[in-house]
Amino acid sequence: MSTISLVGAAPESVDDVFAESNSTRAGLISAESAHRLTVHGQNVLADHGVTVAGVLARQLRNPLLILLAGLRWCPERRVIRPTPSSSV
């Protein structure tokens, strides 16, 4: 099986691209499908082992989040309100 690049496929006809990739308009024939499965494996995304608990722990260690949470529950926080101006 040869691989054809996007640049190489662009000027070719659809039938030529199918022939180059051992495919047809209806899809792969069974033999080509079995061959690709043997050579390349299943068409699945890799599992990186990311867990909800891991993502939450990483987010809770974020310094900006810790700072904002501290400001939210700080009893010393005050709301700054503009004072009425005496000039007209």
Side-chain angles (χ1 to χ4, degrees), residues 71-87:
L71 290 174
R72 169 68 178 96
W73 287 291
C74 178
E76 298 291 321
R77 68 185 170 139
R78 293 190 170 88
V79 177
I80 301 173
R81 293 189 179 94
T83 57
S85 137
S86 58
S87 62

Side-chain angles (χ1 to χ4, degrees), residues 52-67 69:
V52 174
V55 171
L56 181 62
R58 190 172 60 247
Q59 289 178 348
L60 291 177
R61 287 192 313 258
N62 183 328
L64 181 59
L65 181 64
I66 294 168
L67 176 66

Side-chain angles (χ1 to χ4, degrees), residues 16-64:
D16 289 343
V17 173
F18 280 134
E20 180 71 24
S21 61
N22 295 328
S23 185
T24 66
R25 289 182 184 266
L28 296 174
I29 60 173
S30 296
E32 181 64 20
S33 176
H35 172 71
R36 290 186 186 188
L37 183 60
T38 302
V39 172
H40 301 289
Q42 292 186 346
N43 187 17
V44 295
L45 297 175
D47 182 17
H48 296 289
V50 178
T51 63
V52 174
V55 171
L56 181 62
R58 190 172 60 247
Q59 289 178 348
L60 291 177
R61 287 192 313 258
N62 183 328
L64 181 59

